Amino acid sequence: MTQAVPSPREIATELEKSVIGQRVALQEMSIALSKKLAGLAVGNILMIGSSGTGKTTLMRAVESYLEARPHLSLRSTVVRMHANILGEAAQKGRPGEVVLQRLLERAREQLGIDASAESLLKQASNGIVFVDEVDKIRSYIGDRPNTSGIRAQEALLTVIENEAVPLTLPPWAGGKTVTVDSSGLLFVCGGAFEGLYDSVFDRVTIGRDRGALKPVTVVEDGQVHERLEFVLREWLRNEDLFDYGMSPQFLSRFDAVVLLADLTIDELVRIFLEIPNSGYDQARAYFESRGLHLALSPDAIRRIALEASKEKRLGARALKEVFRRVVRDYEFDPKANGPEGSVLLDVAEVDAALAT
Ligand SMILES: Nc1ncnc2c1ncn2[C@@H]1O[C@H](COP(=O)(O)OP(=O)(O)OP(=O)(O)O)[C@@H](O)[C@H]1O
Ligand SMILES: [Mg+2]
């Protein structure tokens, strides 16, 4: 039985259950997945976004989406790996092999151990490869060359859009060396590229393109101010990524470079409330186990999101950390402070907890 390939919008609707905001990245990913599932050619994607803004969450969401739909996942085997693994593998031999071997293993899980090497290879060579933390394979750190990064980028180049990748099959697949056409693979790489924001800001304010970013005049509280409004998306050029340590050959393999936005307070509130197994869910389950009902007022949640948003380097991860500070005392010594065995936290309680 053949089933219709879901449209990008249908895919996005599902992914949105675990990824809040990040509209552009969701769109790009949903379009790519829809095309891939239809057997069409798709350009590779590079995702850049601050830490804790949802890059890994989005990759995982796609994995779960496919896992939950076997009829779709058979159309495209997916693997997710940390970029550093490629550098390590490169030291041991043919670097691109590690990617293909992962895909092959995954294909075997899907098709069963009796599947022929040929069918496994066919399945694997049509897969989706998520390479996470791709910024860790920059070719230099400061002024020093980063050998494993250089090797890892080269390793990826050998498998991205290559029609003839040599691959020694694992023993369970016969152990022969074969040639694999990997041009059907879709690569989605993601990384935080820490420091990129600052270096591009410097370029357009005090560096090479000094003065390019013009101050805007704003009126605030009746006073006129001049302010620099910098949005990375508007200024990022390929050269900035070259300078960061991604080679031009490597970058040229990506059709789309997607910048994830920093999360807004509203989005942090939604992440706090809507993402399953959050710190909030866990705390509620704990109080429930002690016969108490935990409730936070909307203002209290906003206050937590606001506090979390101040920790720019953590993104949504800060929510957990801030929330821990808020509930610690209450979890340590659970007792009702509201009606019918409820623990009520309003802004005053949150403020008090955060002040200690
Ligand atoms: N856009 C988002 N939607 C839903 N949850 C999010 C989002 N961004 C972050 N989170 C939450 O924050 C946590 C960290 O997010 P994630 O691992 O996706 O960050 P990342 O962008 O991969 O960061 P890093 O660059 O540090 O790896 C996740 O566990 C998730 O719960
Ligand atoms: Mg991540």
Side-chain angles (χ1 to χ4, degrees):
M1 185 179 71
T2 52
Q3 279 175 312
V5 169
S7 70
R9 189 181 285 282
E10 285 164 342
I11 294 172
T13 303
E14 289 303 310
L15 299 181
E16 273 164 11
K17 292 177 184 163
S18 30
V19 182
I20 305 291
Q22 309 305 6
R23 190 180 58 88
V24 179
L26 270 167
Q27 283 189 341
E28 204 67 71
M29 187 77 98
S30 308
I31 295 168
L33 186 57
S34 181
K35 287 184 183 169
K36 190 88 186 83
L37 294 172
L40 301 169
V42 195
N44 301 314
I45 302 174
L46 175 63
M47 296 195 290
I48 298 177
S50 309
S51 206
T53 53
K55 299 177 298 295
T56 304
T57 305
L58 178 54
M59 293 177 182
R60 285 214 192 103
V62 174
E63 280 182 312
S64 321
Y65 176 87
L66 289 174
E67 250 162 50
R69 294 167 181 77
H71 65 285
L72 292 181
S73 73
L74 276 177
R75 289 169 180 246
S76 203
T77 296
V78 50
V79 292
R80 181 162 51 92
M81 56 178 70
H82 194 296
N84 270 339
I85 290 186
L86 295 162
E88 287 160 25
Q91 261 159 331
K92 293 186 195 134
R94 282 196 291 250
E97 284 196 338
V98 62
V99 175
L100 295 173
Q101 264 154 7
R102 283 281 181 93
L103 282 160
L104 214 52
E105 280 161 24
R106 181 73 190 108
R108 191 178 187 225
E109 284 166 25
Q110 290 181 296
L111 301 181
I113 53 170
D114 295 329
S116 67
E118 201 177 310
S119 60
L120 291 174
L121 279 168
K122 186 159 172 280
Q123 177 77 15
S125 61
N126 194 34
I128 302 174
V129 183
F130 288 123
V131 182
D132 208 353
E133 315 245 342
V134 75
D135 49 339
K136 302 294 182 307
I137 59 168
R138 61 198 295 192
S139 42
Y140 39 87
I141 299 170
D143 291 334
R144 302 179 46 173
N146 176 26
T147 338
S148 73
I150 295 169
R151 285 212 192 92
Q153 284 187 52
E154 284 167 358
L156 274 173
L157 281 175
T158 63
V159 271
I160 302 184
E161 293 173 10
N162 189 342
E163 284 166 17
V165 188
L167 170 70
T168 305
L169 294 172
W172 51 259
K176 274 196 307 192
T177 298
V178 295
T179 304
V180 179
D181 176 357
S182 67
S183 55
L185 294 177
L186 165 61
F187 282 85
V188 180
C189 299
F193 292 82
E194 207 185 322
L196 182 65
Y197 182 100
D198 289 346
S199 63
V200 179
F201 181 81
D202 286 354
R203 171 170 66 73
V204 298
T205 51
I206 53 171
R208 229 166 31 229
D209 300 324
R210 190 174 321 123
L213 179 67
K214 302 258 183 297
V216 290
T217 308
V218 288
V219 181
E220 245 173 17
D221 306 327
Q223 297 213 329
V224 181
H225 298 279
E226 294 233 299
R227 199 161 60 199
L228 289 174
E229 284 182 1
F230 176 75
V231 180
L232 181 61
R233 186 180 305 130
E234 290 167 11
W235 296 98
L236 182 70
R237 294 205 209 116
N238 278 339
E239 292 84 78
D240 296 312
L241 291 168
F242 304 158
D243 288 348
Y244 192 87
M246 309 314 285
S247 78
Q249 298 91 312
F250 181 71
L251 278 176
S252 69
R253 301 298 206 276
F254 295 89
D255 286 18
V257 176
V258 181
L259 292 173
L260 280 83
D262 285 347
L263 297 161
T264 64
I265 310 270
D266 286 336
E267 285 164 349
L268 288 169
V269 167
R270 287 190 53 206
I271 290 172
F272 188 83
L273 289 170
E274 294 174 27
I275 299 302
N277 295 320
S278 63
Y280 188 27
D281 279 353
Q282 287 167 13
R284 271 188 304 196
Y286 166 73
F287 283 101
E288 221 61 67
S289 78
R290 313 215 60 106
L292 293 166
H293 175 71
L294 173 70
L296 268 73
S297 72
D299 285 346
I301 294 171
R302 231 185 147 67
R303 182 74 187 76
I304 290 171
L306 185 69
E307 188 70 16
S309 74
K310 293 179 189 160
E311 309 224 25
K312 295 265 179 275
R313 293 165 64 92
L314 295 181
R317 286 197 189 93
L319 282 173
K320 293 181 188 143
E321 186 260 329
V322 172
F323 183 58
R324 285 310 312 149
R325 272 156 56 202
V326 170
V327 292
R328 190 188 305 123
D329 276 351
Y330 296 90
E331 287 194 349
F332 187 66
D333 201 3
K335 52 177 172 281
N337 66 353
E340 289 169 40
S342 58
V343 181
L344 296 182
L345 305 186
D346 204 345
V347 186
E349 284 74 23
V350 173
D351 277 337
L354 292 178
T356 57

